[in-house]
């Protein structure tokens, strides 16, 4: 009897670990497979515009001296992050997690020196480059679709809101550093926003368990700095406000839903793909059988669309114009059959091993509303054919809602998975040089 009990005691943890490990191995095999497939396509003349399939960046191990700060920061996170997440008062935890997320993103970017932070906002393809072309917002909005080919890549690929943000910064005398600061701050604010939503649907213990994984995720490599980081921050608060509305009644619920809807309108004018983020609060609303906040949020978004329409920009017309530009760009030579597989592999890579393991272990239905909603949005984005490559950056707003899956990992193994996640994120940043 004793030997049977001993065998059961030993085999039970092994069984619990097998599913997460199998999930991580499967994603690893998928990444290797799409890398080899991509190299095979490139050898036969296909222009994928990828340097390290399925990643856009190229392999270049480097560690500039400012980036050395990531080493003690990562070590401190591993040593004290999970315990602090358990002990800090809730409000302090929200602030601490957001600040830690910003610090980690900056530290990772600095592995390439200061240029790692300023490269994207200072790029000739980015929004700030076209700010001098805008005399004033109204003529710009009225003529954007008609004159879309006049503008640089990111302006042509997005609605005009982010361009107007860059124009405002330029008019105030700011430059790439200002834009980078806005993008990093916005993305850092997504961390407490997601934690609030997790606490709302699954309780404070789950939110505390998720906090370190949100602050020190490998996907932080795309936060400092890119416009998608700004989108992620605004979108996170839009989702959270609507999620909070599903747990309340009356005027308080309506006020939260209206606020979330207003921010959803803003996110839709920042990036066309951000409308898919609405799947996340919709999943929560369906799970809670509280659809009224979704309707109220939709009404809350209409003034944003209306204001831009009055100014001369119609969202649907802009989307169609951008689609034509996209189909005539590098996407023209990127085969859908490859990227429909490579995109999820890339997404799994930048989420990191802990989150992949967490997704395979997740049995908490309320958290599944958040994680499953985000994964459904990713599937829709993938099948749309408008996300061929670069998803390590452009799917960042969805990634924040998959990261809480790591909270489902068993308590006794969570610290080990967190260590693996932080180490992997640092190694990925040091080994792969990104174009943004």
């Amino acid at each position: 009897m004793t030997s049977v009990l001993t065998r059961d005691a030993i085999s039970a943890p092994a069984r619990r670990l097998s599913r997460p490990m199998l999930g991580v191995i499967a994603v690893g095999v998928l990444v290797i497979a799409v890398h080899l497939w991509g190299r095979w396509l490139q050898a036969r003349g296909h222009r994928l515009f990828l340097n390290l399939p399925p990643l856009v960046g190229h392999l270049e191990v480097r560690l500039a001296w400012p980036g050395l700060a990531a080493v003690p920061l990562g070590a401190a996170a591993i040593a004290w992050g999970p315990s602090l997440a358990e002990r800090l008062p809730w409000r302090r935890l929200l602030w601490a997690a957001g600040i830690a997320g910003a610090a980690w993103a900056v530290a990772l970017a600095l592995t390439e020196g200061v240029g790692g932070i300023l490269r994207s906002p200072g790029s000739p393809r980015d929004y700030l480059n076209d700010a001098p072309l805008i005399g004033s917002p109204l003529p710009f909005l009225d003529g954007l679709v008609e004159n879309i080919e006049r503008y640089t890549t990111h302006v042509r690929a997005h609605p005009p809101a982010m361009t107007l943000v860059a124009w405002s910064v330029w008019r105030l005398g700011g430059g790439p550093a200002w834009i980078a600061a806005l993008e990093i701050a916005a993305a850092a604010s997504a961390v407490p926003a997601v934690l609030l939503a997790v606490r709302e649907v699954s309780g404070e213990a789950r939110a505390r368990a998720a906090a370190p994984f949100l602050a020190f995720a490998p996907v932080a490599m795309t936060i400092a700095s890119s416009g998608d980081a700004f989108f992620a921050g605004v979108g996170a608060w839009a989702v959270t406000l609507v999620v909070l509305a599903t747990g309340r009644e009356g005027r308080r619920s309506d006020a939260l839903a209206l606020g979330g809807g207003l921010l959803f309108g803003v996110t839709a004018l920042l990036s066309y793909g951000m409308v898919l983020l609405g799947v996340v609060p919709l999943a929560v609303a369906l799970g809670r059988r509280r659809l009224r906040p979704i309707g109220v949020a939709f009404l809350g978004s209409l003034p944003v669309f209306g204001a831009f329409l009055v100014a001369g920009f119609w969202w649907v017309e802009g989307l169609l114009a951008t689609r034509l530009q996209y189909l005539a760009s590098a996407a023209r030579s990127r085969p859908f059959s490859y990227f429909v597989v490579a995109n999820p592999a890339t997404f799994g890579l930048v989420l990191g091993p802990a989150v992949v393991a967490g997704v395979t272990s997740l049995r908490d239905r309320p958290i599944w509303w958040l994680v499953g909603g985000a994964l459904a949005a990713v599937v829709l984005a993938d099948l749309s054919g408008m996300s061929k490559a670069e998803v390590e950056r452009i799917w960042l707003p969805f990634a924040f809602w998959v990261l809480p899956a790591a909270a489902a990992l068993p308590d006794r193994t969570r610290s080990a998975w967190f260590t693996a996640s932080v180490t992997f994120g640092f190694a990925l940043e040091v080994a792969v040089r990104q174009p943004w």
Side-chain angles (χ1 to χ4, degrees):
M1 177 66 73
T2 303
S3 61
V4 172
L5 290 175
T6 302
R7 285 198 304 273
D8 288 344
I10 294 172
S11 62
R15 286 197 300 270
R16 282 196 290 271
L17 283 174
S18 64
R19 188 184 295 270
M21 285 302 300
L22 283 173
V24 172
I25 292 169
V27 170
V29 170
L30 180 61
V31 170
I32 294 171
V34 295
H35 172 73
L36 296 175
W37 183 7
R39 290 302 192 200
W40 184 84
L41 289 172
Q42 289 174 328
R44 279 151 184 78
H46 288 272
R47 298 186 68 194
L48 304 181
F49 296 93
L50 300 178
N51 298 301
L52 186 65
L55 300 175
V56 178
H58 59 273
L59 192 64
E60 181 186 330
V61 178
R62 74 271 177 258
L63 181 56
W65 69 264
L68 292 173
V71 177
L73 179 59
I78 291 169
W80 299 299
S83 61
L84 284 174
E86 291 180 0
R87 293 187 286 105
L88 282 176
W90 175 247
R91 290 187 179 181
R92 290 186 184 179
L93 173 61
L94 294 179
W95 280 100
I99 293 169
W104 183 238
V106 170
L108 290 180
L110 287 175
T111 59
E112 298 183 29
V114 176
I117 296 177
L118 302 182
R119 180 185 302 115
S120 182
S123 166
R125 297 188 298 271
D126 212 74
Y127 309 95
L128 194 61
N129 181 78
D130 284 357
L133 301 178
I134 303 172
S136 63
L138 291 180
F140 165 69
L141 292 173
D142 189 45
L144 176 58
V145 171
E146 182 180 350
N147 302 310
I148 193 169
E149 294 186 359
R150 177 189 184 193
Y151 298 104
T152 192
T153 304
H154 283 182
V155 177
R156 284 186 277 123
H158 295 86
M162 190 63 190
T163 305
L164 292 178
V165 171
W167 175 80
S168 300
V169 169
W170 176 74
R171 287 297 300 268
L172 291 171
W178 285 35
I179 298 293
L182 283 174
E183 291 168 346
I184 295 166
S189 79
V191 175
V194 174
L195 291 179
L196 285 170
V198 172
R199 186 178 74 158
E200 170 64 28
V201 301
S202 193
E204 190 170 311
R206 287 290 193 193
R208 288 180 177 275
F213 295 96
L214 279 158
F216 292 91
V219 77
M221 66 187 291
T222 62
I223 288 176
S225 307
S226 72
D228 299 272
F230 189 84
F231 310 159
V234 178
W237 283 104
V239 171
T240 294
L241 289 177
V242 181
V243 167
L244 293 176
T246 63
R248 287 151 182 81
E249 299 286 345
R251 292 182 179 178
R252 191 177 183 190
S253 173
D254 289 347
L256 287 166
L258 282 171
L262 183 69
L263 288 180
F264 264 115
V266 173
T267 62
L269 269 299
L270 287 167
S271 173
Y272 294 110
M274 289 291 287
V275 295
L276 295 176
L277 201 58
V279 176
V280 179
L282 177 61
V284 175
L286 289 171
R288 286 182 154 184
R289 299 180 182 178
R290 287 276 291 128
L291 289 176
R292 176 183 171 88
I294 301 299
V296 175
F298 175 75
L299 293 176
S301 70
L302 295 181
V304 181
F305 288 96
F308 275 78
L309 178 59
V310 170
F313 177 80
W314 173 222
W315 188 88
V316 175
E317 187 181 14
L319 173 62
L320 295 176
T322 291
R323 187 173 186 275
L324 291 176
Q325 293 292 314
Y326 180 75
L327 295 176
S329 69
R332 178 175 54 185
S333 61
R334 286 171 165 169
F336 175 81
S337 58
Y338 174 74
F339 285 98
V340 77
V341 179
N343 287 342
T346 304
F347 193 55
L349 181 68
V350 297
L351 286 173
V355 176
V356 172
V359 169
T360 65
S361 306
L362 191 54
R363 299 293 182 270
D364 187 321
R365 182 177 295 178
I367 290 188
W368 252 122
W369 297 337
L370 299 174
V371 174
L375 292 175
V378 163
V379 170
L380 292 173
D382 196 32
L383 296 177
S384 73
M386 294 288 286
S387 294
K388 293 181 180 178
E390 303 183 41
V391 297
E392 59 266 43
R393 173 180 58 83
I394 62 176
W395 284 358
L396 177 62
F398 307 127
F400 272 106
W401 295 100
V402 184
L403 297 178
L409 292 167
D411 292 346
R412 65 181 174 279
T413 63
R414 195 179 299 133
S415 292
W417 282 113
F418 180 60
T419 300
S421 181
V422 174
T423 305
F424 178 78
F426 177 75
L428 190 63
E429 174 64 42
V430 169
V432 179
R433 186 181 181 90
Q434 305 173 91
W436 46 76

